[in-house]
Amino acid sequence: MAKDPSDGLKEFWAELPKADEDFLGSIRDWKNIHIASDDEVIWLKGFTDEQAGSPEIQQLPNLLLYELRNGLLFRTGALVPTKKMRTALLWTVIDKALKLNFPVSNNNFFGIDEKITVKLKPSEDEQPATALLCVISDIKDLVIALPKFKLEKTEWIVINDQALFMGNPLLSFRGKTYWSKDGHLLPTGFDFEFKNMSSLLQRKYNATREQWLLWNEDGSVLHLSKEDFRKLSVSSFRLTEKSKEWM
């Protein structure tokens, strides 16, 4: 008789004190997870094997992870059950149950009247760089030597003593690279702590998409009007140098 392949599937549950609910923001975009509350405990279920062993789960303080077997909850690797499965719980998809708030913060936001907490974290997903930030004095001789066809495919803007270049292909100068996401320019190798934060920030602060939001790893941001970008050319670069627009 053929074995039912579903017999080998593990079903994971987890519990977390309600006082630690805010920490669940790091997994809010896992739409396969369902959440329910019971007294002072938050219950979660629906984890995949990969999610159950992920750093996001391991870093949640006071979270207890269980494997459900025959209506009993076993701690990971345990042979004896810890408790019975809770019943009569009202389950909801996690991203609908958890509201994403914008708390007050002292972060250094330029051009934003309200202060909100935004954090970036290292990301394992590789993204192609679309922007390059360079110190002008380091690359001024290189720009002048570039062939015309490379200049024509690049736009740029001056930011104090630096120049931000955008184009495809990207110029191969030494500098700091960024990738684009929903109108944001994020340092390569980083993403928002909460992945759905990018679209929320755009709707709140850049609904018309007339700006690029240039982020630093510390969560500070600079608003750049797209109208201020111009085509890169030797003449425009020399004019900038001549007029001493940078410090």
Side-chain angles (χ1 to χ4, degrees):
M1 182 176 179
K3 185 177 179 180
D4 185 353
S6 65
D7 290 345
L9 297 178
K10 294 180 179 180
E11 182 176 351
F12 294 99
W13 283 43
E15 65 171 318
L16 184 76
K18 279 188 177 179
D20 296 323
E21 180 180 1
D22 289 345
F23 291 105
L24 292 176
S26 60
I27 63 170
R28 185 179 181 273
D29 60 323
W30 293 1
K31 299 184 184 299
N32 56 298
I33 305 301
H34 286 70
I35 184 172
S37 60
D38 179 18
D39 297 328
E40 297 302 317
V41 174
I42 293 175
W43 290 95
L44 304 102
K45 69 175 182 178
F47 301 94
T48 64
D49 286 356
E50 183 179 2
Q51 289 171 338
S54 68
E56 288 87 348
I57 288 297
Q58 295 173 7
Q59 293 170 7
L60 288 174
N62 303 317
L63 182 133
L64 299 177
L65 186 67
Y66 301 100
E67 184 180 336
L68 178 64
R69 307 177 204 160
N70 300 320
L72 300 175
L73 296 174
F74 293 75
R75 290 297 305 276
T76 304
L79 299 177
V80 179
T82 301
K83 58 182 65 177
K84 292 183 179 180
M85 175 183 68
R86 301 306 299 262
T87 59
L89 294 174
L90 181 61
W91 296 97
T92 308
V93 180
I94 190 170
D95 66 335
K96 293 182 180 179
L98 297 180
K99 294 181 179 179
L100 189 57
N101 297 318
F102 292 91
V104 175
S105 165
N106 290 323
N107 281 6
N108 186 16
F109 277 76
F110 302 97
I112 297 181
D113 295 331
E114 299 177 49
K115 310 293 183 179
I116 66 173
T117 299
V118 177
K119 293 182 180 180
L120 272 61
K121 68 175 184 178
S123 173
E124 297 180 356
D125 299 329
E126 295 186 8
Q127 301 290 347
T130 58
L132 174 69
L133 186 65
C134 305
V135 177
I136 294 179
S137 59
D138 291 345
I139 51 92
K140 59 181 181 180
D141 294 334
L142 299 175
V143 171
I144 296 173
L146 285 174
K148 185 177 180 181
F149 75 92
K150 285 190 176 182
L151 297 175
E152 292 175 340
K153 295 181 179 180
T154 303
E155 292 186 334
W156 74 304
I157 188 173
V158 175
I159 307 172
N160 297 323
D161 63 340
Q162 297 177 301
L164 180 70
F165 300 100
M166 296 187 68
N168 186 17
L170 198 60
L171 299 177
S172 56
F173 296 156
R174 183 177 65 181
K176 183 176 181 178
T177 57
Y178 297 81
W179 66 285
S180 61
K181 178 180 184 180
D182 298 329
H184 302 277
L185 292 175
L186 299 167
T188 51
F190 285 81
D191 198 351
F192 292 110
E193 181 182 20
F194 306 141
K195 292 185 178 180
N196 58 336
M197 178 72 80
S198 61
S199 59
L200 292 172
L201 288 171
Q202 282 293 347
R203 290 199 300 269
K204 191 172 181 68
Y205 297 117
N206 192 25
T208 60
R209 298 297 181 99
E210 295 177 351
Q211 303 175 90
W212 285 108
L213 304 184
L214 182 70
W215 293 89
N216 292 316
E217 290 87 342
D218 63 1
S220 61
V221 64
L222 182 64
H223 286 219
L224 304 173
S225 172
K226 292 182 179 181
E227 292 185 353
D228 291 338
F229 281 80
R230 48 188 163 171
K231 290 290 184 181
L232 179 61
S233 66
V234 172
S235 60
S236 69
F237 191 85
R238 282 176 169 167
L239 182 61
T240 301
E241 184 178 13
K242 184 177 179 181
S243 62
K244 297 181 179 180
E245 291 181 2
W246 66 89
M247 297 294 292

